Amino acid sequence: MYRNRIIPCLLLKDERLVKTIKFKDPNYIGDPLNAVRIFNDKEADELFFIDISASKRGSINFDLLKKISSQSFMPLCYAGGIKCLNDAKKIFSIGFEKISLNTIVLKKPDLVTEISKIYGSQSVLVTIDVKKNFFGKYYVYNHLKKKITKYDPVDFARKMEVLGAGELVVNCIDNDGVMKGYNLKLINEISKAVKIPIVGLGGAGSLKDLEDVVKAGASAAGAGSLFIYYGPHKAVLINYPSED
């Protein structure tokens, strides 16, 4: 029986796992390899690693990705600092099944097509970071420049599908780490506008939130804090829901 995927999304910064709130104040939460081993034991559907320092650093930590891949029994996706076809080639050769492009597609949208033609659209995701402006309208956000772009997220999603993306991650910055639910309205609008799968990300705080985002049109529920923190005081305890 088909079940929608539940995906832990883990942030990397200088070989350490961190968690942010609204893309700010990264808080150290542990060792990425230890997290992989725990999620192996808990039989997570897949893992999504996002290196939030790679673009600023100007390089991808391939050595760390090799270690992660060697420890993982789950499908892996990586995002962060991917600038060209060769970067994607190295990541796939290490053992990651998927990559996700983000800021680079604002400057080089054809990279989506270039990689998907060689490795298949199922291997190429595009993460759309979305932020609300002063007037309450949502736009695609450039996290490298820390500024809102001119792009409407629904139109941008359609464009990425045409270019060859096989999946879209819709990440609402205003909901990141808050644990009060996803931006269901936006996810629903994008899911209706495209035919490819959508991963909802940003805001999950309960199992009901995971259910709600699937009902809103997402094919998968992505979450960070929900699988890292436990209890009202947010103690670091890696967890994952049982099949039940």
Side-chain angles (χ1 to χ4, degrees):
M1 181 178 176
Y2 175 77
R3 175 176 63 73
N4 297 81
R5 292 165 295 147
I6 299 173
I7 306 172
C9 298
L10 306 175
L11 304 183
L12 294 168
K13 187 176 188 290
D14 302 325
E15 300 194 5
R16 293 150 41 115
L17 278 185
V18 299
K19 188 66 193 79
T20 57
I21 295 179
K22 298 185 178 182
F23 276 34
K24 298 177 182 178
D25 305 321
N27 178 44
Y28 172 70
I29 55 171
D31 173 64
L33 298 181
N34 185 53
V36 169
R37 296 184 192 108
I38 294 172
F39 282 120
N40 278 336
D41 292 340
K42 295 185 178 297
E43 299 182 342
D45 294 329
E46 59 186 85
L47 285 184
F48 184 15
F49 279 96
I50 306 166
D51 190 332
I52 63 174
S53 56
S55 293
K56 292 180 181 178
R57 191 172 61 238
S59 63
I60 298 169
N61 191 336
F62 292 108
D63 288 338
L64 178 60
L65 297 189
K66 286 179 184 177
K67 293 175 183 176
I68 289 172
S69 177
S70 69
Q71 296 290 325
S72 177
F73 302 145
M74 303 152 285
L76 295 170
C77 179
Y78 172 79
I82 300 170
K83 301 184 294 292
C84 61
L85 176 63
N86 195 47
D87 287 340
K89 181 179 179 180
K90 287 182 180 179
I91 294 165
F92 288 133
S93 69
I94 286 169
F96 279 68
E97 284 80 7
K98 300 176 182 179
I99 59 162
S100 185
L101 304 175
N102 190 327
T103 307
I104 190 65
V105 301
L106 297 171
K107 183 169 64 174
K108 295 172 60 177
D110 290 343
L111 184 60
V112 178
T113 307
E114 186 179 6
I115 298 174
S116 64
K117 280 186 175 179
I118 296 174
Y119 293 99
S121 61
Q122 78 286 344
S123 298
V124 183
L125 286 70
V126 170
T127 295
I128 306 175
D129 293 326
V130 181
K131 189 172 177 60
K132 187 164 51 178
N133 71 1
F134 181 77
F135 301 101
K137 183 171 173 54
Y138 287 97
Y139 287 95
V140 176
Y141 183 79
N142 184 329
H143 73 85
L144 196 57
K145 294 184 177 181
K146 295 184 177 179
K147 62 185 290 187
I148 290 173
T149 71
K150 63 182 179 181
Y151 300 111
D152 173 82
V154 177
D155 293 339
F156 193 78
R158 290 193 189 102
K159 181 180 180 181
M160 293 302 107
E161 180 180 33
V162 171
L163 287 172
E167 198 165 358
L168 299 174
V169 181
V170 181
N171 188 13
C172 187
I173 295 170
D174 300 302
N175 296 46
D176 172 54
V178 177
M179 301 184 73
K180 292 183 179 180
Y182 296 90
N183 187 329
L184 300 177
K185 183 175 183 293
L186 180 63
I187 289 169
N188 182 253
E189 288 176 357
I190 293 177
S191 70
K192 289 179 178 178
V194 299
K195 296 179 180 178
I196 56 179
I198 302 293
V199 180
L201 182 59
S206 68
L207 294 182
K208 185 179 184 304
D209 289 333
L210 305 182
E211 182 181 1
D212 288 344
V213 77
V214 169
K215 288 180 178 178
S219 298
S225 298
L226 181 63
F227 302 135
I228 292 166
Y229 296 130
Y230 181 79
H233 300 294
K234 292 189 174 181
V236 176
L237 178 65
I238 292 176
N239 63 96
Y240 189 80
S242 67
E243 191 65 32
D244 291 339

